Amino acid sequence: MATKRVLTGMRTTGPLHLGHYVGALKLWKQVQDSGEYECFFLLADVQALTTHADNPALIEQSVSDVMLDWLAVGLDPFRPNVHFVLQSALPERFELSAYLMMIARFAEVSRNPTLKEELRGRKKGDMSVGFMAYPVDQVADITIFSPCPAHPGDQLLVPVGEDQIPHLEYSADLARRFNKMYGRGKNILLECQPMVGEVGRLVGTDGNSKMSKSLGNTIDLADPQEVVTKKIMKMVTDPARRYKSDPGHPEVCPVFAYHKAFNGPSLAERMKLCRGAGITCVECKCQLAQRLNEELEPIRQRYLWAQEQDLVEILNRGNVRACQIAGQVLSAVKQAMHLDYPSLIKE
Ligand code: TRP
């Protein structure tokens, strides 16, 4: 029977927000609930260090915050097919990463659009070496979960937000290169398949194209009701609509973008009302606040349950299963690369 796995992850640099929720978490939950895959959800604390090496305490705190967020949205590591994995606790992954660094080219990593976007406004020379190389390290995150030995029909699915796509394409490229260089006709690392949801990205409350903690424009999953409402009421709308009798332009309005992500059914009607000045921005925001709070309420309830769970035990279980798989992949990789030195090991 074909092996079907899901691997995906998030950096542990702070609490999660609505951008994570619509861009990734809803999709993760869907694949989990389909029951068709063994799912590995990676807490990327090593990748968090690429930009936050000066603040390890924040990363430690964030590992538990992110786990609570995951539990609250309904990811369920108590099912046999679902595992939470701590990236730093998987030694085989570091080793694969070091080998992949040797076949990755500096120029292709420098061209990576996601990396370039993250570098915007910062000096390349000030970034850590770990940061500049993280696209390769992320390929190790993915390919260490390759079904091994591979059979036709095996799958390694990676559900992510839109911004991660270049990393996944690169993962498939490097896996192909590895197999060609060392596989002697066999696929040792599997080319992953990307999966993106209907809403791949959510604008920030300030209208910036990305919701992000560093831009201060997030609505967090753990925000209480009043905070959500306050953040929405402060949002900018269509700048051309100065008076409520002015016709609105929903296509440029961030509040409308949120309605699009969370309030699908009433969209056509809302667009008409806005264009005909039949609804005020304040009314539109109130309705959004209500809708969002409705969506977040069950998540808030589950936080209470999540806080009672033994997070360390969840991670231990996840990492035991991840190490089993990673061990198999790493031995196949080392054998293929002539790094198994059988005569030395037998001594
Ligand atoms: N780069 C992802 C982020 O910024 C996190 C991540 C690390 C990841 N390893 C991964 C995503 C592997 C998908 C697959 O959130």
Side-chain angles (χ1 to χ4, degrees):
M1 224 177 60
T3 305
K4 291 167 90 178
R5 286 189 190 139
V6 162
L7 174 285
T8 187
M10 277 181 188
R11 284 181 202 183
T12 52
T13 47
L16 303 184
H17 51 63
L18 283 183
H20 295 110
Y21 180 66
V22 293
L25 293 172
K26 276 179 123 176
L27 202 58
W28 296 15
K29 183 163 155 44
Q30 268 171 31
V31 288
Q32 163 192 281
D33 292 350
S34 77
E36 282 185 53
Y37 301 88
E38 186 172 17
C39 302
F40 296 88
F41 299 124
L42 190 72
L43 294 140
D45 60 338
V46 181
Q47 198 173 102
L49 280 167
T50 64
T51 47
H52 290 68
D54 57 346
N55 201 349
L58 170 111
I59 299 177
E60 183 187 25
Q61 176 62 45
S62 168
V63 167
S64 32
D65 288 347
V66 170
M67 283 181 80
L68 294 179
D69 287 332
W70 285 1
L71 292 168
V73 299
L75 299 183
D76 184 358
F78 299 102
R79 300 184 191 200
N81 67 320
V82 179
H83 316 283
F84 289 2
V85 179
L86 185 64
Q87 193 186 22
S88 62
L90 197 57
E92 294 84 356
R93 195 208 62 85
F94 287 97
E95 200 174 335
L96 175 60
S97 179
Y99 299 142
L100 289 174
M101 297 279 172
M102 309 307 164
I103 66 164
R105 297 186 195 119
F106 190 68
E108 63 200 4
V109 175
S110 315
R111 273 198 306 268
N112 183 300
T114 308
L115 186 95
K116 274 178 148 173
E117 172 72 32
E118 287 167 324
L119 274 171
R120 252 210 304 183
R122 309 199 210 190
K123 280 202 223 112
K124 229 178 177 173
D126 289 346
M127 303 310 283
S128 65
V129 173
F131 178 82
M132 297 308 291
Y134 98 78
V136 184
D137 197 58
Q138 184 160 333
V139 174
D141 293 340
I142 300 169
T143 53
I144 197 76
F145 288 94
S146 302
C148 177
H151 298 289
D154 285 354
Q155 271 186 52
L156 186 52
L157 187 67
V158 191
V160 283
E162 211 170 63
D163 62 316
Q164 295 296 305
I165 293 299
H167 291 317
L168 306 195
E169 284 168 356
Y170 190 47
S171 175
D173 288 350
L174 267 193
R176 208 174 307 123
R177 185 177 305 161
F178 184 95
N179 293 335
K180 201 161 156 216
M181 286 175 81
Y182 305 115
R184 292 182 218 102
K186 276 202 275 180
N187 285 338
I188 296 174
L189 302 180
L190 193 66
E191 292 174 36
C192 66
Q193 289 174 23
M195 180 189 195
V196 180
E198 263 168 64
V199 187
R201 170 193 295 255
L202 190 67
V203 294
T205 50
D206 57 356
N208 192 297
S209 70
K210 201 175 168 188
M211 182 176 275
S212 131
K213 190 168 58 105
S214 53
L215 298 171
N217 62 10
T218 67
I219 294 178
D220 294 344
L221 287 176
D223 278 347
Q225 188 170 336
E226 324 74 74
V227 175
V228 171
T229 306
K230 208 155 122 201
K231 285 183 176 173
I232 292 187
M233 297 318 283
K234 279 209 307 222
M235 277 177 79
V236 286
T237 53
D238 169 14
R241 193 175 180 201
R242 294 176 52 204
Y243 303 102
K244 60 183 183 194
S245 55
D246 291 341
H249 304 86
E251 61 289 350
V252 300
C253 175
V255 173
F256 186 76
Y258 284 40
H259 276 293
K260 208 163 153 185
F262 292 95
N263 215 355
S266 63
L267 217 58
E269 177 62 16
R270 181 172 307 279
M271 203 183 276
K272 220 166 82 195
L273 280 172
C274 174
R275 289 206 170 113
I279 183 172
T280 65
C281 292
V282 171
E283 280 166 344
C284 199
K285 287 181 187 179
C286 284
Q287 290 164 3
L288 177 63
Q290 196 183 1
R291 175 68 201 89
L292 274 185
N293 277 320
E294 213 175 81
E295 178 96 11
L296 291 175
E297 197 45 43
I299 298 178
R300 290 186 192 118
Q301 294 300 324
R302 273 197 302 265
Y303 272 113
L304 304 174
W305 163 81
Q307 274 151 357
E308 319 233 291
Q309 306 311 310
D310 184 344
L311 301 184
V312 173
E313 201 260 334
I314 291 175
L315 280 185
N316 280 339
R317 270 191 286 124
N319 274 85
V320 165
R321 175 65 185 136
C323 282
Q324 268 172 1
I325 291 173
Q328 286 170 11
V329 175
L330 190 66
S331 350
V333 161
K334 291 183 74 171
Q335 205 174 24
M337 292 182 81
H338 298 228
L339 289 167
D340 54 343
Y341 304 110
S343 53
L344 284 180
I345 292 163
K346 255 184 243 147
E347 287 296 310

